[in-house]
Amino acid sequence: MLGIKEIQEIIPHRHPFLLIDCIEELTPGEGATGYKSVTYNEPWFAGHFPQEPVMPGVLIVEALAQVGAVAILSEEENKGKVAYFGAINNAKFKNKVVPGDKLKLECHIIKRKGPVGIGSAKATVDGKLAVSAELTFMIG
């Protein structure tokens, strides 16, 4: 298992934009599974939405991308590099993510060609799908 310190050694994200708390499973270059414990103190809940706090879908997609970045940047030849978004395709938002949820984030690399690749990603809460997407990344 990777904690915050180990994650920060792999990807450049920092508070408040580091959106993963731990990585439970990691196969460098192939995929990873991580978690985000969603708390009421998250900065976005003050405005999204105060009467019914919901984690913004774009931030869930970003959290998925960060898990994918940990997987791809854990490869020896990619250490010290950055993974950038190239595209977000087929994103589907199925269920709300609210304070108290433990968000399971999975990203598996399904295609690579040079510095570009595609990850199949899904976020679940208690086994229920919240978000799925296909994420294209570029390593730079």
Side-chain angles (χ1 to χ4, degrees):
M1 176 159 345
L2 302 179
I4 294 292
K5 287 182 181 182
E6 294 86 4
I7 292 167
Q8 289 179 333
E9 290 173 7
I10 300 168
I11 61 175
H13 303 78
R14 298 296 183 265
H15 178 78
F17 214 69
L18 179 60
L19 299 175
I20 49 179
D21 297 326
C22 68
I23 297 290
E24 181 178 77
E25 296 175 26
L26 172 63
T27 305
E30 293 182 25
T33 300
Y35 290 91
K36 165 73 176 153
S37 294
V38 181
T39 69
Y40 185 75
N41 294 327
E42 307 289 353
W44 54 81
F45 286 137
H48 195 268
F49 303 97
Q51 69 281 10
E52 182 184 355
V54 176
M55 185 172 179
V58 295
L59 294 181
I60 299 170
V61 172
E62 173 63 27
L64 288 166
Q66 290 180 17
V67 169
V70 168
I72 205 69
L73 297 176
S74 293
E75 281 190 304
E76 196 59 40
E77 65 266 23
N78 293 328
K79 289 190 176 180
K81 296 182 179 177
V82 176
Y84 299 99
F85 263 127
I88 302 167
N89 292 309
N90 302 315
K92 293 183 175 51
F93 302 90
K94 298 291 188 176
N95 284 295
K96 294 187 292 186
V97 176
V98 298
D101 285 346
K102 185 173 183 181
L103 193 58
K104 182 177 183 180
L105 304 155
E106 301 172 79
C107 187
H108 301 283
I109 310 306
I110 57 174
K111 185 177 180 182
R112 287 187 60 190
K113 186 173 182 178
V116 178
I118 297 172
S120 175
K122 70 176 182 174
T124 58
V125 175
D126 295 328
K128 294 181 181 177
L129 184 64
V131 176
S132 63
E134 191 174 87
L135 308 175
T136 301
F137 61 86
M138 296 169 290
I139 301 167

